[in-house]
Structure formats: structure tokens, C-alpha cells
Amino acid sequence: MLLVPLFPQESSTTTGTLVERASEIARTLRIELDTLPPLHSEPAYVAALARSVRDAVPEGAALHHVISFHGLPVSYVESGDPYLE
């Protein structure tokens, strides 16, 4: 079985939790689990996301972006969370 995490970042709070739980289930079912590495910074992935946004906006439409940022506790980063990488 192949696990493909599609989170827009890598963090123990997202990707880490998913991989951990999927691994537990795979062990219970006695199946082999492979996990693709994070895609969030792959140029082709970023380009595909950008293209999907451009394609969703009608030509000539006013374009406004609403951008939301979130944080991660410093203690997570200090304990090795890969979020900032």
C-alpha cells in the first residue's frame, strides 16, 4: 500500500500523525506500507496548485487573495519538527 500525504507542509502535527496512524493500521492488517516523501516544496506540485488556482478564476475577473497563516508552538520546532524546513 502506498501512502501519499498531500498536506501543504510537513509537520509532526499533520504528516507525522497521519504516517504514525497509517503505520499502526498497516501493522494490524499485516500489510506493507510505503510512504512518499513530502511534496509541499516539489516544483511540479507547486506549479500544479498555481495552475489550478489560475484555471478556477474566470478570465477578466477581479482577483483577490485571502491568505491565512497559522503558527506552530516553538517547543515543537525546538524538538525537531520539520515544519520550518
Side-chain angles (χ1 to χ4, degrees):
M1 178 181 294
L2 179 63
L3 180 63
V4 184
L6 294 176
F7 293 102
Q9 76 283 329
E10 181 183 10
S11 173
S12 62
T13 60
T14 53
T15 310
T17 301
L18 172 69
V19 171
E20 182 179 309
R21 182 67 179 125
S23 296
E24 290 171 4
I25 293 168
R27 280 191 300 278
T28 300
L29 298 174
R30 295 188 172 114
I31 59 174
E32 186 176 324
L33 179 67
D34 291 318
T35 303
L36 283 184
L39 299 173
H40 65 276
S41 61
E42 285 293 322
Y45 178 69
V46 174
L49 290 178
R51 187 172 42 257
S52 70
V53 170
R54 282 193 299 274
D55 291 349
V57 177
E59 191 169 323
L63 183 60
H64 301 278
H65 295 278
V66 176
I67 300 172
S68 173
F69 294 91
H70 61 88
L72 191 69
V74 171
S75 61
Y76 283 51
V77 176
E78 289 175 345
S79 68
D81 190 280
Y83 180 76
L84 293 178
E85 294 175 8

